[in-house]
Amino acid sequence: MRYLKVLGAAATAALALTISPAQAAEKRTLCVFDIIGANGDIYNIMKDYKTAAVGMGVDFELKPYTDEKIASEDLKAGQCDAAVLTGIRGRQFNSYTGSLDSIGAIPSYDAMRTVITVLASGNPSVNQNLVSGPYEVAGVAPMGAAYLFVKDKTIDTVGELSGKSIAVLEYDSAQANMASRVGMSPVMSDITNFSGRFNNGSVDICFAPIAAYSALELYKGMQPSGGIVDYVLGQLTAQVIIRQDKFPEGFAQQSRKYMLGQFDRAMRVIENANSEVDKKWWIRIPEADKLKYDEMMREARIALTNEGVYSKDMMTLLRKVRCKEEPSRAECVNPIE
């Protein structure tokens, strides 16, 4: 009998040695929104994330989505154990990180790196904001700065925006609010049709990351006399959102550190997209007008935070990052956010 027990233990140990990390890892589904689908840059980054996740104890099956709304609904329905969504769409799962994409809040990529580093730091006071209900944010990557694409390059001041039509995302109340503040007419759109409306002339202006110039052929809508206003209206992000109870303890923190390590790779994708823009399209605006935009964005963020659209805690963090990067900003003297 004793011999059989020893033999059984030896067989179990031998079997364990033959199990690969992927076989030992828990099977989970990761739904990835990428407007290009399985050939897109975000999806490619997540292929490597899948490989890295095995070492964190999770074996992901990746599912590409070109419709972000369906990906978010499948996450809610439990069809996805995790999803990669834009910060704007992800705001419904976590308002703290969902406020990263707020208007005019992150003026540079250096500031973006600082913010993502803070989110991946493991600081308990930060981590408590990354969990909301059954969901936890397990990583953030930059998707690039967003600008105004206009059909007429004479639209280069705040005053000239008045009376123009602009495509805004129907699920982002901040965009419609901002448009109305400067007298524009918001046209409710979604991520699948806003570019078409700009390109066929149905709207005068659209708001988009620089990657959309080639990916969504926005240069067609700017022909013959349009341009891109050279002012960063916001930073778009891709966020990994998990159903917390489906993952082993400590997974989210490991994942956040991994995604921080992908920052430079994501920046190369953004820089490549930037290099595809013909310099003739950029509309340079006077420094005095940039200061007007800064103040207008600040007032809009304060109002939207008071309305509950943006997270007060995230607005405070972003204001501190802006003031660290540029202490001479007017808002650093009177820190309301």
Side-chain angles (χ1 to χ4, degrees), residues 12-46:
T12 301
L15 180 61
L17 289 174
T18 63
I19 296 175
S20 69
Q23 288 173 310
E26 298 178 31
K27 305 284 186 184
R28 294 291 181 264
T29 303
L30 175 59
C31 301
V32 181
F33 167 66
D34 188 317
I35 200 163
I36 307 299
N39 293 320
D41 293 317
I42 295 293
Y43 195 83
N44 275 329
I45 289 174
M46 300 319 292

mmCIF file of all heavy atoms in Angstrom, residues 12-46:
data_model
loop_
_atom_site.group_PDB
_atom_site.id
_atom_site.type_symbol
_atom_site.label_atom_id
_atom_site.label_comp_id
_atom_site.label_asym_id
_atom_site.label_seq_id
_atom_site.Cartn_x
_atom_site.Cartn_y
_atom_site.Cartn_z
ATOM 1 N N THR A 12 1.812 11.946 -10.007
ATOM 2 C CA THR A 12 1.206 13.292 -9.974
ATOM 3 C C THR A 12 2.264 14.355 -10.234
ATOM 4 O O THR A 12 2.042 15.311 -10.993
ATOM 5 C CB THR A 12 0.556 13.546 -8.609
ATOM 6 O OG1 THR A 12 -0.449 12.549 -8.396
ATOM 7 C CG2 THR A 12 -0.077 14.928 -8.553
ATOM 8 N N ALA A 13 3.423 14.178 -9.596
ATOM 9 C CA ALA A 13 4.510 15.142 -9.786
ATOM 10 C C ALA A 13 4.983 15.149 -11.235
ATOM 11 O O ALA A 13 5.222 16.210 -11.825
ATOM 12 C CB ALA A 13 5.671 14.799 -8.857
ATOM 13 N N ALA A 14 5.078 13.940 -11.824
ATOM 14 C CA ALA A 14 5.525 13.855 -13.212
ATOM 15 C C ALA A 14 4.529 14.545 -14.140
ATOM 16 O O ALA A 14 4.897 15.251 -15.088
ATOM 17 C CB ALA A 14 5.699 12.401 -13.617
ATOM 18 N N LEU A 15 3.212 14.352 -13.853
ATOM 19 C CA LEU A 15 2.167 14.975 -14.674
ATOM 20 C C LEU A 15 2.256 16.490 -14.578
ATOM 21 O O LEU A 15 2.142 17.207 -15.577
ATOM 22 C CB LEU A 15 0.795 14.487 -14.204
ATOM 23 C CG LEU A 15 -0.409 15.050 -14.975
ATOM 24 C CD1 LEU A 15 -0.318 14.645 -16.448
ATOM 25 C CD2 LEU A 15 -1.712 14.555 -14.358
ATOM 26 N N ALA A 16 2.509 16.983 -13.353
ATOM 27 C CA ALA A 16 2.619 18.436 -13.161
ATOM 28 C C ALA A 16 3.747 19.011 -13.994
ATOM 29 O O ALA A 16 3.635 20.105 -14.557
ATOM 30 C CB ALA A 16 2.845 18.747 -11.684
ATOM 31 N N LEU A 17 4.847 18.260 -14.103
ATOM 32 C CA LEU A 17 5.989 18.750 -14.872
ATOM 33 C C LEU A 17 5.685 18.815 -16.358
ATOM 34 O O LEU A 17 6.308 19.549 -17.099
ATOM 35 C CB LEU A 17 7.195 17.828 -14.628
ATOM 36 C CG LEU A 17 7.828 17.934 -13.233
ATOM 37 C CD1 LEU A 17 8.912 16.867 -13.062
ATOM 38 C CD2 LEU A 17 8.427 19.317 -13.013
ATOM 39 N N THR A 18 4.696 18.007 -16.809
ATOM 40 C CA THR A 18 4.375 18.005 -18.245
ATOM 41 C C THR A 18 3.344 19.078 -18.605
ATOM 42 O O THR A 18 3.061 19.296 -19.768
ATOM 43 C CB THR A 18 3.820 16.647 -18.672
ATOM 44 O OG1 THR A 18 2.590 16.401 -17.987
ATOM 45 C CG2 THR A 18 4.823 15.539 -18.383
ATOM 46 N N ILE A 19 2.734 19.744 -17.594
ATOM 47 C CA ILE A 19 1.720 20.763 -17.875
ATOM 48 C C ILE A 19 2.406 22.086 -18.164
ATOM 49 O O ILE A 19 3.191 22.574 -17.355
ATOM 50 C CB ILE A 19 0.761 20.910 -16.676
ATOM 51 C CG1 ILE A 19 -0.009 19.609 -16.467
ATOM 52 C CG2 ILE A 19 -0.201 22.059 -16.898
ATOM 53 C CD1 ILE A 19 -0.887 19.618 -15.234
ATOM 54 N N SER A 20 2.128 22.672 -19.319
ATOM 55 C CA SER A 20 2.732 23.950 -19.683
ATOM 56 C C SER A 20 2.051 25.069 -18.918
ATOM 57 O O SER A 20 0.930 24.906 -18.415
ATOM 58 C CB SER A 20 2.563 24.196 -21.186
ATOM 59 O OG SER A 20 1.202 24.424 -21.485
ATOM 60 N N PRO A 21 2.715 26.244 -18.801
ATOM 61 C CA PRO A 21 2.074 27.382 -18.115
ATOM 62 C C PRO A 21 0.713 27.721 -18.708
ATOM 63 O O PRO A 21 -0.219 28.071 -17.982
ATOM 64 C CB PRO A 21 3.085 28.514 -18.334
ATOM 65 C CG PRO A 21 4.406 27.823 -18.471
ATOM 66 C CD PRO A 21 4.092 26.540 -19.186
ATOM 67 N N ALA A 22 0.588 27.616 -20.064
ATOM 68 C CA ALA A 22 -0.695 27.940 -20.701
ATOM 69 C C ALA A 22 -1.779 26.973 -20.276
ATOM 70 O O ALA A 22 -2.939 27.339 -20.080
ATOM 71 C CB ALA A 22 -0.549 27.932 -22.221
ATOM 72 N N GLN A 23 -1.396 25.655 -20.135
ATOM 73 C CA GLN A 23 -2.388 24.667 -19.716
ATOM 74 C C GLN A 23 -2.813 24.901 -18.275
ATOM 75 O O GLN A 23 -3.956 24.678 -17.908
ATOM 76 C CB GLN A 23 -1.804 23.254 -19.881
ATOM 77 C CG GLN A 23 -1.675 22.831 -21.346
ATOM 78 C CD GLN A 23 -0.942 21.505 -21.483
ATOM 79 O OE1 GLN A 23 0.126 21.315 -20.914
ATOM 80 N NE2 GLN A 23 -1.529 20.590 -22.232
ATOM 81 N N ALA A 24 -1.860 25.385 -17.446
ATOM 82 C CA ALA A 24 -2.153 25.604 -16.036
ATOM 83 C C ALA A 24 -2.944 26.888 -15.820
ATOM 84 O O ALA A 24 -3.658 27.025 -14.837
ATOM 85 C CB ALA A 24 -0.843 25.670 -15.249
ATOM 86 N N ALA A 25 -2.834 27.844 -16.755
ATOM 87 C CA ALA A 25 -3.486 29.137 -16.590
ATOM 88 C C ALA A 25 -4.995 29.016 -16.761
ATOM 89 O O ALA A 25 -5.493 28.120 -17.440
ATOM 90 C CB ALA A 25 -2.919 30.114 -17.615
ATOM 91 N N GLU A 26 -5.707 29.952 -16.131
ATOM 92 C CA GLU A 26 -7.165 29.969 -16.242
ATOM 93 C C GLU A 26 -7.567 30.528 -17.602
ATOM 94 O O GLU A 26 -7.020 31.519 -18.071
ATOM 95 C CB GLU A 26 -7.740 30.832 -15.115
ATOM 96 C CG GLU A 26 -7.430 30.309 -13.717
ATOM 97 C CD GLU A 26 -7.988 31.222 -12.631
ATOM 98 O OE1 GLU A 26 -9.030 31.860 -12.869
ATOM 99 O OE2 GLU A 26 -7.362 31.322 -11.568
ATOM 100 N N LYS A 27 -8.553 29.894 -18.241
ATOM 101 C CA LYS A 27 -9.035 30.335 -19.554
ATOM 102 C C LYS A 27 -9.988 31.520 -19.380
ATOM 103 O O LYS A 27 -10.945 31.441 -18.602
ATOM 104 C CB LYS A 27 -9.775 29.192 -20.262
ATOM 105 C CG LYS A 27 -8.973 27.911 -20.404
ATOM 106 C CD LYS A 27 -7.952 28.029 -21.502
ATOM 107 C CE LYS A 27 -7.263 26.680 -21.732
ATOM 108 N NZ LYS A 27 -6.171 26.769 -22.734
ATOM 109 N N ARG A 28 -9.729 32.595 -20.097
ATOM 110 C CA ARG A 28 -10.589 33.761 -20.033
ATOM 111 C C ARG A 28 -10.709 34.393 -21.418
ATOM 112 O O ARG A 28 -9.843 34.205 -22.274
ATOM 113 C CB ARG A 28 -10.025 34.811 -19.057
ATOM 114 C CG ARG A 28 -10.021 34.367 -17.600
ATOM 115 C CD ARG A 28 -11.429 34.263 -17.045
ATOM 116 N NE ARG A 28 -11.461 33.864 -15.648
ATOM 117 C CZ ARG A 28 -11.629 32.609 -15.222
ATOM 118 N NH1 ARG A 28 -11.771 31.627 -16.114
ATOM 119 N NH2 ARG A 28 -11.667 32.340 -13.933
ATOM 120 N N THR A 29 -11.786 35.145 -21.619
ATOM 121 C CA THR A 29 -12.038 35.791 -22.907
ATOM 122 C C THR A 29 -11.748 37.287 -22.825
ATOM 123 O O THR A 29 -12.225 37.961 -21.912
ATOM 124 C CB THR A 29 -13.517 35.596 -23.328
ATOM 125 O OG1 THR A 29 -13.795 34.206 -23.379
ATOM 126 C CG2 THR A 29 -13.781 36.209 -24.687
ATOM 127 N N LEU A 30 -10.960 37.782 -23.769
ATOM 128 C CA LEU A 30 -10.639 39.212 -23.834
ATOM 129 C C LEU A 30 -11.189 39.775 -25.142
ATOM 130 O O LEU A 30 -10.754 39.385 -26.228
ATOM 131 C CB LEU A 30 -9.122 39.421 -23.777
ATOM 132 C CG LEU A 30 -8.611 40.857 -23.963
ATOM 133 C CD1 LEU A 30 -9.191 41.793 -22.904
ATOM 134 C CD2 LEU A 30 -7.087 40.902 -23.924
ATOM 135 N N CYS A 31 -12.149 40.665 -25.035
ATOM 136 C CA CYS A 31 -12.784 41.276 -26.206
ATOM 137 C C CYS A 31 -12.079 42.601 -26.502
ATOM 138 O O CYS A 31 -12.031 43.484 -25.635
ATOM 139 C CB CYS A 31 -14.264 41.495 -25.936
ATOM 140 S SG CYS A 31 -15.108 39.942 -25.540
ATOM 141 N N VAL A 32 -11.535 42.720 -27.695
ATOM 142 C CA VAL A 32 -10.676 43.859 -28.016
ATOM 143 C C VAL A 32 -11.340 44.738 -29.076
ATOM 144 O O VAL A 32 -11.572 44.279 -30.206
ATOM 145 C CB VAL A 32 -9.307 43.384 -28.539
ATOM 146 C CG1 VAL A 32 -8.408 44.585 -28.841
ATOM 147 C CG2 VAL A 32 -8.644 42.454 -27.534
ATOM 148 N N PHE A 33 -11.626 45.981 -28.704
ATOM 149 C CA PHE A 33 -12.121 46.928 -29.711
ATOM 150 C C PHE A 33 -10.940 47.541 -30.449
ATOM 151 O O PHE A 33 -10.033 48.123 -29.844
ATOM 152 C CB PHE A 33 -12.942 48.044 -29.063
ATOM 153 C CG PHE A 33 -13.188 49.188 -30.026
ATOM 154 C CD1 PHE A 33 -13.981 48.999 -31.147
ATOM 155 C CD2 PHE A 33 -12.591 50.429 -29.836
ATOM 156 C CE1 PHE A 33 -14.171 50.027 -32.066
ATOM 157 C CE2 PHE A 33 -12.786 51.459 -30.747
ATOM 158 C CZ PHE A 33 -13.577 51.256 -31.859
ATOM 159 N N ASP A 34 -10.964 47.378 -31.761
ATOM 160 C CA ASP A 34 -9.997 48.044 -32.636
ATOM 161 C C ASP A 34 -10.755 48.346 -33.918
ATOM 162 O O ASP A 34 -11.293 47.423 -34.551
ATOM 163 C CB ASP A 34 -8.800 47.125 -32.930
ATOM 164 C CG ASP A 34 -7.687 47.864 -33.671
ATOM 165 O OD1 ASP A 34 -8.011 48.627 -34.600
ATOM 166 O OD2 ASP A 34 -6.511 47.682 -33.326
ATOM 167 N N ILE A 35 -10.832 49.612 -34.276
ATOM 168 C CA ILE A 35 -11.682 49.989 -35.412
ATOM 169 C C ILE A 35 -11.230 49.313 -36.705
ATOM 170 O O ILE A 35 -12.010 49.137 -37.637
ATOM 171 C CB ILE A 35 -11.732 51.529 -35.559
ATOM 172 C CG1 ILE A 35 -12.951 51.934 -36.371
ATOM 173 C CG2 ILE A 35 -10.440 52.076 -36.164
ATOM 174 C CD1 ILE A 35 -13.314 53.389 -36.230
ATOM 175 N N ILE A 36 -9.949 48.867 -36.742
ATOM 176 C CA ILE A 36 -9.443 48.144 -37.910
ATOM 177 C C ILE A 36 -9.686 46.638 -37.761
ATOM 178 O O ILE A 36 -9.551 45.877 -38.698
ATOM 179 C CB ILE A 36 -7.927 48.420 -38.100
ATOM 180 C CG1 ILE A 36 -7.659 49.931 -38.137
ATOM 181 C CG2 ILE A 36 -7.401 47.777 -39.378
ATOM 182 C CD1 ILE A 36 -8.334 50.671 -39.260
ATOM 183 N N GLY A 37 -10.047 46.195 -36.572
ATOM 184 C CA GLY A 37 -10.277 44.769 -36.333
ATOM 185 C C GLY A 37 -8.985 44.040 -35.998
ATOM 186 O O GLY A 37 -8.068 44.612 -35.393
ATOM 187 N N ALA A 38 -8.894 42.770 -36.398
ATOM 188 C CA ALA A 38 -7.758 41.918 -36.015
ATOM 189 C C ALA A 38 -6.445 42.341 -36.666
ATOM 190 O O ALA A 38 -5.388 41.824 -36.300
ATOM 191 C CB ALA A 38 -8.066 40.467 -36.365
ATOM 192 N N ASN A 39 -6.494 43.264 -37.618
ATOM 193 C CA ASN A 39 -5.256 43.761 -38.244
ATOM 194 C C ASN A 39 -4.815 45.113 -37.674
ATOM 195 O O ASN A 39 -3.845 45.704 -38.161
ATOM 196 C CB ASN A 39 -5.448 43.898 -39.765
ATOM 197 C CG ASN A 39 -5.627 42.551 -40.435
ATOM 198 O OD1 ASN A 39 -4.951 41.577 -40.084
ATOM 199 N ND2 ASN A 39 -6.550 42.466 -41.384
ATOM 200 N N GLY A 40 -5.529 45.600 -36.674
ATOM 201 C CA GLY A 40 -5.228 46.925 -36.127
ATOM 202 C C GLY A 40 -4.078 46.916 -35.133
ATOM 203 O O GLY A 40 -3.664 45.864 -34.634
ATOM 204 N N ASP A 41 -3.553 48.102 -34.837
ATOM 205 C CA ASP A 41 -2.402 48.230 -33.936
ATOM 206 C C ASP A 41 -2.751 47.843 -32.494
ATOM 207 O O ASP A 41 -1.944 47.216 -31.800
ATOM 208 C CB ASP A 41 -1.874 49.669 -33.973
ATOM 209 C CG ASP A 41 -1.260 50.015 -35.321
ATOM 210 O OD1 ASP A 41 -0.523 49.178 -35.859
ATOM 211 O OD2 ASP A 41 -1.531 51.115 -35.826
ATOM 212 N N ILE A 42 -3.934 48.234 -32.030
ATOM 213 C CA ILE A 42 -4.333 47.879 -30.666
ATOM 214 C C ILE A 42 -4.435 46.359 -30.533
ATOM 215 O O ILE A 42 -3.951 45.763 -29.561
ATOM 216 C CB ILE A 42 -5.698 48.530 -30.309
ATOM 217 C CG1 ILE A 42 -5.577 50.056 -30.291
ATOM 218 C CG2 ILE A 42 -6.193 48.021 -28.952
ATOM 219 C CD1 ILE A 42 -4.705 50.610 -29.200
ATOM 220 N N TYR A 43 -5.043 45.725 -31.529
ATOM 221 C CA TYR A 43 -5.199 44.266 -31.471
ATOM 222 C C TYR A 43 -3.833 43.587 -31.463
ATOM 223 O O TYR A 43 -3.616 42.609 -30.740
ATOM 224 C CB TYR A 43 -6.038 43.772 -32.653
ATOM 225 C CG TYR A 43 -6.530 42.348 -32.469
ATOM 226 C CD1 TYR A 43 -7.687 42.089 -31.729
ATOM 227 C CD2 TYR A 43 -5.831 41.265 -33.005
ATOM 228 C CE1 TYR A 43 -8.134 40.794 -31.535
ATOM 229 C CE2 TYR A 43 -6.275 39.961 -32.813
ATOM 230 C CZ TYR A 43 -7.432 39.743 -32.077
ATOM 231 O OH TYR A 43 -7.873 38.440 -31.879
ATOM 232 N N ASN A 44 -2.901 44.124 -32.239
ATOM 233 C CA ASN A 44 -1.554 43.535 -32.270
ATOM 234 C C ASN A 44 -0.862 43.638 -30.920
ATOM 235 O O ASN A 44 -0.183 42.699 -30.484
ATOM 236 C CB ASN A 44 -0.703 44.220 -33.346
ATOM 237 C CG ASN A 44 -0.930 43.605 -34.708
ATOM 238 O OD1 ASN A 44 -1.224 42.414 -34.818
ATOM 239 N ND2 ASN A 44 -0.810 44.401 -35.752
ATOM 240 N N ILE A 45 -1.012 44.787 -30.257
ATOM 241 C CA ILE A 45 -0.429 44.940 -28.920
ATOM 242 C C ILE A 45 -1.041 43.911 -27.956
ATOM 243 O O ILE A 45 -0.348 43.309 -27.133
ATOM 244 C CB ILE A 45 -0.639 46.384 -28.409
ATOM 245 C CG1 ILE A 45 0.263 47.356 -29.196
ATOM 246 C CG2 ILE A 45 -0.349 46.485 -26.907
ATOM 247 C CD1 ILE A 45 0.046 48.819 -28.873
ATOM 248 N N MET A 46 -2.340 43.675 -28.109
ATOM 249 C CA MET A 46 -2.999 42.741 -27.192
ATOM 250 C C MET A 46 -2.639 41.284 -27.486
ATOM 251 O O MET A 46 -2.788 40.425 -26.614
ATOM 252 C CB MET A 46 -4.519 42.953 -27.234
ATOM 253 C CG MET A 46 -4.962 44.353 -26.829
ATOM 254 S SD MET A 46 -4.078 45.093 -25.408
ATOM 255 C CE MET A 46 -4.631 44.045 -24.047
#
